[in-house]
Amino acid sequence: MDLTLDTREVGGRTVVAVGGEIDVYTAPKLRDCVTDLVADGAYHIVIDMEAVEFLDSTGLGVLVGGLKKVRAHDGSLELICNQDRLLKIFRITGLAKVFTIHASADTLASR
């Protein structure tokens, strides 16, 4: 399974829509995307995971690494995720307390 990344601007934040599987093989693609965005001055990033079918520990590591990168610039990295199986991973690992997780992209526009 391949990983698709689509970047857009919403309300002053950069939204990266991710599709497919975030695993040991595809996670570097997401990491490089976040690294490039931060290098280009995007410090408020939202990862839209609505089309993500699978997430492993490597993917979680990339998300945490991205959070560290933007926080170094007083930025933020938030998630859009409404899939129970992915939300369970965030709860079990304690990362649900670390990331702001939105149920849909609609809640971004209202902030």
Side-chain angles (χ1 to χ4, degrees), residues 6-77:
D6 183 40
T7 306
R8 67 187 189 279
E9 293 293 321
V10 176
R13 289 184 276 188
T14 303
V15 178
V16 181
V18 184
E21 299 181 355
I22 307 174
D23 60 21
V24 68
Y25 302 106
T26 61
K29 186 175 176 183
L30 177 59
R31 182 188 61 229
D32 293 347
C33 176
V34 172
T35 300
D36 292 347
L37 289 171
V38 172
D40 291 342
Y43 305 134
H44 296 283
I45 299 172
V46 179
I47 306 294
D48 183 345
M49 301 178 64
E50 289 184 294
V52 171
E53 297 168 17
F54 178 81
L55 175 68
D56 73 0
S57 60
T58 309
L60 289 174
V62 167
L63 294 174
V64 171
L67 182 62
K68 288 179 181 177
K69 282 185 179 87
V70 296
R71 281 190 174 167
H73 299 277
D74 293 323
S76 62
L77 190 144

Side-chain angles (χ1 to χ4, degrees), residues 91-106:
R91 282 193 301 270
I92 289 170
T93 58
L95 292 174
K97 294 180 177 129
V98 175
F99 289 102
T100 299
I101 302 176
H102 302 275
S104 73
D106 298 338

